[in-house]
Amino acid sequence: MKKFILAATALVVMNSCCTQQENTAPVEVNKQEIVVENILNRRSVRNYTDVQVTQAQLETLMQCAINAPSAMNRQPWQVRVVQEANILDKIRAVNEKTIYNAPTVIFIAKDTENRYSDFDCGLLTQNILLAAESMDLGTVVVGSVTMVLNTPEGKEIVDSLDLPENYEVIVGICLGNKNERPDARPRDAEKVKYIK
C-alpha cells in the first residue's frame, strides 16, 4: 500500500510540474503575420476619443520612430510631440480641420541641409504609424499643417516647437484613441509590375 501511495504522490507531483511548465512556456508568435496584419489594418483616423495617449505609449512610439533607417545614419529629423492644449488650440484657430480633434499631434521636421531628409523623415513617419496601429491607436498624416505653420499666425506655433535653425516642419501626425474604424479604400494592384 505504501508503494502505491508513493507512486500516486510521484505522479501528482510530476503532473503538477508538467502543468506549470506548460503554463509558463513562451507562446509561439508568427512575426510575419503580425507585421503584415498591422500594415493591412492601418487606416487614417480622423475622429478620436477624449482619452489622452499615455506617456508610456508615447515613449514606445518615439523609440520606434528614431529606429527608422536613414541615409548614412544621419537621422536628419527633429520630432516634437505636442499635447499642450494651448498650442493645439492655436493651430485649430488658424484652420479648424487641420488636426481634427486629436489630443496629440506629432510634428516631423527635416534638416533642410540634408538632401535625403524628406525620404528619411518618411521612413520615421511610417514607423510611428505602424507602431501606433500595433497599440490600436489611431493616426492620420496631415501635410496641410505646414500651410498653417507658414502663416503669420503660425510663426508663434513654430517658435514654440524649439527647432534648430536649419529645420522645417514637413508633416504632422494626429494621434489618439480611435473613435472610428474606417474601411479600407481601394488600392490599385496594377501599379505593381513584376520583372523577372
Side-chain angles (χ1 to χ4, degrees), residues 42-46 48 97-100 102 105-106 108 121-122 124-130 138-146 170-175:
R42 194 246 153 220
R43 303 281 178 271
S44 291
V45 172
R46 294 175 175 84
Y48 306 93
K97 292 185 176 180
T98 299
I99 56 171
Y100 306 96
V105 179
I106 302 169
I108 311 298
C121 286
L124 174 130
T125 298
Q126 185 73 341
N127 273 17
I128 294 171
L129 301 179
L130 295 178
T139 56
V140 63
V141 177
V142 284
S144 60
V145 76
T146 58
I170 57 170
V171 74
I173 303 170
C174 295
L175 172 70

Side-chain angles (χ1 to χ4, degrees), residues 38 42 57-68 77-81 104-109 120-141 171-176:
N38 201 31
R42 194 246 153 220
Q57 289 171 316
L58 291 175
E59 288 172 9
T60 299
L61 288 174
M62 291 305 101
Q63 192 64 29
C64 292
I66 64 173
N67 273 281
W77 49 62
Q78 289 283 322
V79 182
R80 298 297 180 266
V81 181
T104 301
V105 179
I106 302 169
F107 294 97
I108 311 298
D120 291 341
C121 286
L123 296 170
L124 174 130
T125 298
Q126 185 73 341
N127 273 17
I128 294 171
L129 301 179
L130 295 178
E133 177 62 28
S134 76
M135 296 181 220
D136 200 33
L137 294 172
T139 56
V140 63
V141 177
V171 74
I173 303 170
C174 295
L175 172 70

Side-chain angles (χ1 to χ4, degrees), residues 18-38:
C18 291
T19 304
Q20 286 178 355
Q21 285 178 347
E22 286 175 7
N23 291 340
T24 59
V27 177
E28 284 291 321
V29 175
N30 186 327
K31 291 180 185 178
Q32 178 182 341
E33 285 180 14
I34 291 171
V35 172
V36 171
E37 181 180 334
N38 201 31

Side-chain angles (χ1 to χ4, degrees), residues 147-159:
M147 291 184 280
V148 171
L149 298 180
N150 289 325
T151 64
E153 300 91 344
K155 184 180 183 328
E156 182 184 347
I157 299 165
V158 172
D159 289 346

Side-chain angles (χ1 to χ4, degrees), residues 2-16:
K2 279 185 178 179
K3 287 183 182 178
F4 176 76
I5 292 172
L6 285 174
T9 303
L11 281 173
V12 169
V13 170
M14 284 175 46
N15 188 35
S16 174

